[in-house]
Amino acid sequence: MRKLIAFDDDTFDKLKQLGRDRMATFQELADEAFADLLKKHGIPIDLKDALRKSASLPESPKRNAGAAASPRKKKSRS
């Protein structure tokens, strides 16, 4: 899928130079940048990442079906 993104000339020149320095294509730089952005906001980027994230979520406390929500105090007989 193609999308159009506009950069000012100075930023685009710096991105091209970074690509040359790292021997990476502009697409590779963009993929890395967007993956980092998604990770920063906790959004999984692929199925493996989503499964890892869901497996590390803390479990919600399980309620005992036989226990009452608020325990009653026993009346003392005097």
Side-chain angles (χ1 to χ4, degrees):
M1 176 185 320
R2 291 184 173 270
K3 297 291 179 184
L4 188 62
I5 300 174
F7 294 101
D8 61 78
D9 291 337
D10 188 44
T11 301
F12 186 69
D13 290 340
K14 289 177 182 177
L15 289 170
K16 286 194 309 187
Q17 185 61 46
L18 178 63
R20 282 188 217 111
D21 293 346
R22 293 181 55 193
M23 296 185 352
T25 65
F26 188 80
Q27 184 63 53
E28 290 169 335
L29 294 176
D31 290 343
E32 180 182 347
F34 287 116
D36 289 347
L37 181 65
L38 292 172
K39 183 178 179 182
K40 174 184 172 185
H41 291 282
I43 300 170
I45 53 176
D46 57 12
L47 179 60
K48 183 178 175 183
D49 194 28
L51 292 173
R52 184 180 300 115
K53 184 174 181 170
S54 69
S56 69
L57 292 176
E59 290 186 26
S60 60
K62 295 179 182 177
R63 295 180 103 173
N64 186 348
S70 58
R72 296 183 197 170
K73 292 183 179 178
K74 292 184 180 180
K75 293 182 181 178
S76 62
R77 296 184 181 177
S78 305

